[in-house]
């Protein structure tokens, strides 16, 4: 995730201020905006753990800083029966209801989640057993849910076990954390782990809201992965870019090249484009605003399900799923592992999907326990989903070309990114050009305006590119020098009434300034699409008046606008991202200016700034007066 649409990051707050939303438990996020301070570790060596918390599958990788080339991807999981897998299903269920839901409090400790004995997760399920799926998607209420995810069914399962969405996500990440630490302990030994700092880097979608990213930090903190100021977030396509651009041979990269990273996963597809600004060390900047959509490979599964139902009939289909669940699971597994990944229109004119135990039906295409599917039928399953992905990539390509940029390559990563059919469709979509028109004389003029061809790449380890990139981010720091803001970001302010600019109905009399004023004017500090750098803070300037004895704790809202043009005043439809609470008590009283009105009323005036620093998926706030840092800033999402 890419932009100034980011989570607030900092140490955990000292207290909670608002109740959770019923049934969902996503807290109104709070965090202190102080700069993270690294703990000292003997020798400086540490373990970096990357966690790719995915919609359908999650992955974990780790590296020891003294051996940076040795990146370990965890491949063994509880319930896996000895079979290795680069990822584990993002699925969880509870066997018995916990006695209390103490973990529902944002300040709950990692140990207050449901007892481990009540939880099954990942591979620990029989095919027909109910479990919570796609729980990650519920963290961002701004994103549309896919049709196959039922909020009502999810809410019913959670209520049954006295849990909410935040609990379920924290419980799942707790299992990931425990298994990761057990695996690392087996590899490195208990004495080594006891003296070595472990740092976690989590990935989040590029298109997620600030609140959803902050909820992810909160869930990871509850799971035991560290305090908020120790945890790091990186957007999923940025993590993929960190890995894949480093994997491309250096002689294939040139300054000015633009690469589109398409992270196609099970539930979501995330895209960000990067321009090479420096080769050694590799540095890039975002060249288009990150985009994404719900068009992951899980949608192919449900289209396959609809296809099977239409072929064999609803009654036979329902009977198979209810009475012969292993038959259905075998067919789905074959589609998942072979057809989705390997289907090639030219090589696979016919595919036989196993459904053992189903009676022959010539009309339905069932023969000897196999459902016969031709290439046209498989294409019908793929095409609507593939088209959505192509449209998203096309949007990135057009965004770069509008700025006269050249797209050098499209990098496909993620589980869906391994698909042969997706690869070939993108390749044909961006490299199909009609032959130049016939002319009497040879000319190069026609080729100059021909569409630019774009190379499509599938790197090795495409499925684990995101988690490998997360580890590299923790190991080497950020290679992204600037990002593009997805929204306009600003604050409202009051100013002197100007009859030529402001409606008379908006004015009010200020007894302190002794003049007519207007409020709710907007000052936009970051424009949509603007380049923002984590090396350069964005400053919000404020002036405040205080009467004697008045509280020095002030609140201001951070406002966002997703329209192309931002308004001059606060209007309906703007997004109230979070409330910034600034404690000015630490500012020396000598920096306040004592003023007196004509009526003898005394008040103190203070000019100060809030500096916002941006990285891949979080924000850090600082209070400054005359360039000197004071006090603390907290942020609470709504």
């Amino acid at each position: 995730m890419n932009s100034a649409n980011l989570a607030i990051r900092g140490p955990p707050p000292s207290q909670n201020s608002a109740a959770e939303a019923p049934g969902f438990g996503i807290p109104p996020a709070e965090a202190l905006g102080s700069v993270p301070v690294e703990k000292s570790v003997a020798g400086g060596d540490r373990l970096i753990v990357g966690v790719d918390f995915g919609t359908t599958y999650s992955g974990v990788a780790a590296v020891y800083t003294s051996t940076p080339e040795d990146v370990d991807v965890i491949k063994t999981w509880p319930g896996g029966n000895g079979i290795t897998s680069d990822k584990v299903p993002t699925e969880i269920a509870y066997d018995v209801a916990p006695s209390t839901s103490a973990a529902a409090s944002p300040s709950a400790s990692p140990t207050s989640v449901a007892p481990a004995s009540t939880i099954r997760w990942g591979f620990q399920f029989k095919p027909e057993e109910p479990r919570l799926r796609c729980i990650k998607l519920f963290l961002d209420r701004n994103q549309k849910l896919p049709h196959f995810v039922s909020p009502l069914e999810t809410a019913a399962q959670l209520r049954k076990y006295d849990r909410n969405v935040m609990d379920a996500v924290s419980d799942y990440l707790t299992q990931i954390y425990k298994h990761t630490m057990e695996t690392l302990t087996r590899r490195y030994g208990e004495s080594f782990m006891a003296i070595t700092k472990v740092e976690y880097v989590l990935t989040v979608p590029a298109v997620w809201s600030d609140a959803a990213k902050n909820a992810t930090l909160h869930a990871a903190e509850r799971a035991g992965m560290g305090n908020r100021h120790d945890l790091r977030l990186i957007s999923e396509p940025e993590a993929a870019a960190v890995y894949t651009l480093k994997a491309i041979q250096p002689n294939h990269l040139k300054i000015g090249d633009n690469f589109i990273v398409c992270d196609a996963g099970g539930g979501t597809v995330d895209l960000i484009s990067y321009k090479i600004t420096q080769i050694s060390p590799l540095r890039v900047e975002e060249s288009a605003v990150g985009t994404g959509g719900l068009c992951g490979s899980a949608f192919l599964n449900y289209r396959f399900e609809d296809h099977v139902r239409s072929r064999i009939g609803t009654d036979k289909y329902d009977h198979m799923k209810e009475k012969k669940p292993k038959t259905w699971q075998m067919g789905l597994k074959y589609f998942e592992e072979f057809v989705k990944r390997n289907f090639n229109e030219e090589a696979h004119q016919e595919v036989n999907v196993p459904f053992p135990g189903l009676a022959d039906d010539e009309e339905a295409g069932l023969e000897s326990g196999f459902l016969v599917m031709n290439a046209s039928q498989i294409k019908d399953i793929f095409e609507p989903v593939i088209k959505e992905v192509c449209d998203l990539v096309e949007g990135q390509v057009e965004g770069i070309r509008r700025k006269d940029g050249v797209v050098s390559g499209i990098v496909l990563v993620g589980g869906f990114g391994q698909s042969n059919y997706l690869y070939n469709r993108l390749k044909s979509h961006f490299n199909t050009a009609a032959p130049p028109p016939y002319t009497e004389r040879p000319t190069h003029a026609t080729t100059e305006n021909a569409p630019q061809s774009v190379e499509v790449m599938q790197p090795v380890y495409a499925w684990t590119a995101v988690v490998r990139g997360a580890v590299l981010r923790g190991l080497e720091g950020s290679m992204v020098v600037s990002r593009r803001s997805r929204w306009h970001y600003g604050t409202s302010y009051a100013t002197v009434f100007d009859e030529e600019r402001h409606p008379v109905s908006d004015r009010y009399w200020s007894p302190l300034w002794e003049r007519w004023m207007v409020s709710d004017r907007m000052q936009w500090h970051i424009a949509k699409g603007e380049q923002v750098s984590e090396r350069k803070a964005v400053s919000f300037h404020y002036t405040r008046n205080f009467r004697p004895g008045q509280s020095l704790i002030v609140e201001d809202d951070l406002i966002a606008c997703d329209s192309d043009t931002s308004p001059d005043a606060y209007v309906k439809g703007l997004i109230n991202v979070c409330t910034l609470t600034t404690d000015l008590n630490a500012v020396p009283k000598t920096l306040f200016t004592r003023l007196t009105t004509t009526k003898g009323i005394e008040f103190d005036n203070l000019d100060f700034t809030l500096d916002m620093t941006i990285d891949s998926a979080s924000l850090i706030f600082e209070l400054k007066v005359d360039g000197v840092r004071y006090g603390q800033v907290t942020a609470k999402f709504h």
Side-chain angles (χ1 to χ4, degrees):
M1 102 134 244
N2 62 311
S3 64
N5 175 25
L6 306 159
I8 309 301
R9 184 174 62 141
S14 58
Q15 61 183 24
N16 307 313
S17 65
E20 299 174 351
F24 286 88
I26 299 174
E30 295 185 12
L32 299 179
S34 57
V35 176
V37 179
E38 298 290 343
K39 296 178 182 176
S40 60
V41 182
D45 289 332
R46 59 201 191 283
L47 278 168
I48 307 292
V49 178
V51 178
D52 176 15
F53 174 46
T55 303
T56 54
Y57 284 86
S58 296
V60 180
V63 68
Y64 185 49
T65 52
S66 65
T67 54
E69 301 301 319
D70 188 13
V71 176
D72 250 350
V73 175
I74 293 182
K75 299 188 178 187
T76 56
W77 306 95
N81 296 320
I83 299 173
T84 60
S85 172
D86 286 338
K87 292 192 177 182
V88 61
T90 309
E91 300 174 358
I92 187 171
Y94 301 91
D95 287 332
V96 295
S99 56
T100 61
S101 186
S105 167
S107 63
S109 68
T111 59
S112 60
V113 295
S117 60
T118 71
I119 293 175
R120 284 179 297 139
W121 66 290
F123 289 109
Q124 297 176 324
F125 298 101
K126 294 178 181 177
E128 67 276 11
E129 290 179 328
R131 78 289 305 261
L132 290 164
R133 292 185 174 97
C134 300
I135 52 174
K136 166 183 173 177
L137 296 179
F138 289 93
L139 289 179
D140 192 349
R141 301 187 198 178
N142 295 328
Q143 300 298 321
K144 185 175 69 173
L145 290 172
H147 68 87
F148 54 82
V149 176
S150 168
L152 293 177
E153 184 180 328
T154 302
Q157 285 194 60
L158 290 169
R159 278 196 303 270
K160 182 179 178 182
Y161 298 109
D162 191 24
R163 313 302 282 167
N164 56 40
V165 166
M166 199 64 192
D167 293 330
V169 172
S170 298
D171 290 343
Y172 182 82
L173 290 179
T174 298
Q175 302 306 312
I176 289 281
Y177 170 73
K178 288 180 178 177
H179 181 68
T180 299
M181 296 304 287
E182 288 170 3
T183 302
L184 294 176
T185 301
R186 280 199 301 272
R187 170 165 182 178
Y188 293 103
E190 290 183 6
S191 57
F192 175 89
M193 294 298 294
I195 61 170
T196 304
K197 182 176 182 179
V198 182
E199 295 179 357
Y200 279 80
V201 182
L202 286 92
T203 64
V204 290
V207 296
W208 261 16
S209 68
D210 303 276
K213 294 168 193 171
N214 202 84
T216 305
L217 271 178
H218 173 68
E221 185 179 34
R222 282 176 52 182
M225 294 180 181
N227 291 324
R228 189 179 296 260
H229 64 284
D230 289 328
L231 292 165
R232 300 185 197 180
L233 292 183
I234 183 173
S235 76
E236 290 162 0
E238 182 173 319
V242 169
Y243 168 72
T244 55
L245 292 181
K246 282 182 174 291
I248 295 173
Q249 293 297 323
N251 57 339
H252 288 173
L253 297 177
K254 299 190 301 293
I255 292 176
D257 283 352
N258 289 277
F259 288 87
I260 297 169
V261 178
C262 177
D263 176 18
T268 59
V269 174
D270 258 344
L271 298 97
I272 301 186
S273 301
Y274 294 98
K275 179 180 178 181
I276 308 294
T277 61
Q278 183 178 309
I279 300 296
S280 182
L282 183 61
R283 293 290 181 264
V284 301
E285 65 182 23
E286 280 187 20
S287 47
V289 175
T291 54
L294 285 169
C295 46
S297 64
F299 289 85
L300 297 179
N301 290 18
Y302 288 92
R303 289 186 60 79
F304 171 69
E305 193 171 340
D306 291 340
H307 175 83
V308 174
R309 185 189 293 108
S310 68
R311 290 277 299 277
I312 69 176
T314 301
D315 292 342
K316 188 180 289 187
Y317 171 80
D318 290 341
H319 181 267
M320 172 181 65
K321 288 199 73 175
E322 183 179 347
K323 302 297 184 182
K324 299 180 178 180
K326 290 182 179 178
T327 296
W328 164 246
Q329 288 299 323
M330 185 170 288
L332 181 61
K333 183 179 176 69
Y334 184 84
F335 178 80
E336 174 93 34
E337 296 183 357
F338 176 77
V339 180
K340 273 169 54 172
R341 296 182 186 179
N342 303 311
F343 173 64
N344 183 312
E345 190 177 357
E346 296 177 0
H348 302 114
Q349 290 301 309
E350 184 180 286
V351 172
N352 296 294
V353 181
F355 284 105
L358 288 189
D360 286 3
D361 184 335
E362 186 176 348
E363 185 178 346
L366 277 169
E367 182 181 344
S368 303
F370 290 90
L371 180 70
V372 181
M373 298 180 67
N374 59 41
S376 175
Q377 291 168 331
I378 299 172
K379 277 182 65 179
D380 286 344
I381 291 174
F382 272 80
E383 270 308 311
V385 181
I386 297 290
K387 184 181 183 304
E388 285 191 60
V389 179
C390 288
D391 288 346
L392 285 170
V393 178
E394 183 69 52
Q396 293 282 307
V397 171
E398 290 177 356
I400 294 170
R401 288 178 175 170
R402 274 197 300 269
K403 299 168 188 169
D404 298 323
V406 176
V407 180
S408 302
I410 298 165
V411 183
L412 275 176
V413 298
F416 194 15
Q418 297 178 105
S419 163
N420 280 335
Y421 190 72
L422 176 59
Y423 170 79
N424 289 325
R425 280 285 281 106
L426 283 172
K427 196 172 178 182
S428 63
H429 182 84
F430 290 102
N431 295 282
T432 302
Y438 173 78
T439 57
E440 292 288 339
R441 296 179 180 179
T443 176
H444 297 287
T446 54
T447 59
E448 288 177 2
N449 296 320
Q452 302 167 348
S453 64
V454 181
E455 190 173 3
V456 181
M457 292 169 275
Q458 278 180 321
V460 181
Y461 307 126
W463 199 25
T464 57
V466 170
V467 76
R468 290 173 184 271
V471 167
L472 288 176
R473 169 67 173 85
L475 191 65
E476 302 174 359
S478 178
M479 72 174 189
V480 181
V481 295
S482 66
R483 299 176 175 84
R484 299 275 176 177
S485 174
R486 283 182 54 239
W487 290 346
H488 301 279
Y489 279 86
T491 51
S492 64
Y493 67 99
T495 189
V496 177
F497 171 71
D498 182 342
E499 61 183 11
E500 294 183 1
R501 297 169 48 217
H502 306 135
V504 174
S505 57
D506 286 354
R507 71 178 187 174
Y508 68 93
W509 181 255
S510 169
L512 294 183
W513 288 120
E514 298 182 298
R515 59 182 68 183
W516 290 103
M517 307 284 287
V518 287
S519 61
D520 290 338
R521 304 302 104 179
M522 289 303 305
Q523 181 177 6
W524 299 102
H525 307 286
I526 300 174
K528 185 177 181 179
E530 180 183 339
Q531 283 191 323
V532 290
S533 170
E534 62 187 73
R535 294 169 177 81
K536 183 179 179 182
V538 178
S539 296
F540 310 161
H541 179 264
Y542 297 93
T543 184
R544 283 284 194 281
N545 297 324
F546 302 93
R547 296 189 182 184
Q550 186 177 342
S551 172
L552 296 181
I553 297 177
V554 296
E555 292 186 347
D556 297 279
D557 290 327
L558 182 62
I559 308 296
C561 172
D562 60 359
S563 302
D564 291 335
T565 305
S566 54
D568 294 329
Y570 188 89
V571 294
K572 187 177 180 181
L574 293 181
I575 302 157
N576 196 333
V577 178
C578 62
T579 297
L580 303 174
T581 303
T582 308
D583 187 349
L584 299 173
N585 284 292
V587 179
K589 297 300 180 282
T590 55
L591 296 179
F592 288 76
T593 303
R594 176 60 59 94
L595 301 173
T596 307
T597 69
T598 58
K599 295 182 179 180
I601 300 173
E602 290 187 336
F603 62 96
D604 293 324
N605 175 264
L606 179 69
D607 287 335
F608 63 94
T609 60
L610 297 184
D611 282 2
M612 182 174 73
T613 307
I614 300 167
D615 65 16
S616 174
S618 57
L619 301 177
I620 303 169
F621 286 91
E622 283 187 313
L623 162 66
K624 287 186 178 179
V625 180
D626 293 338
V628 179
R629 181 185 165 204
Y630 295 98
Q632 51 187 222
V633 182
T634 64
K636 183 177 70 177
F637 287 105
H638 303 288

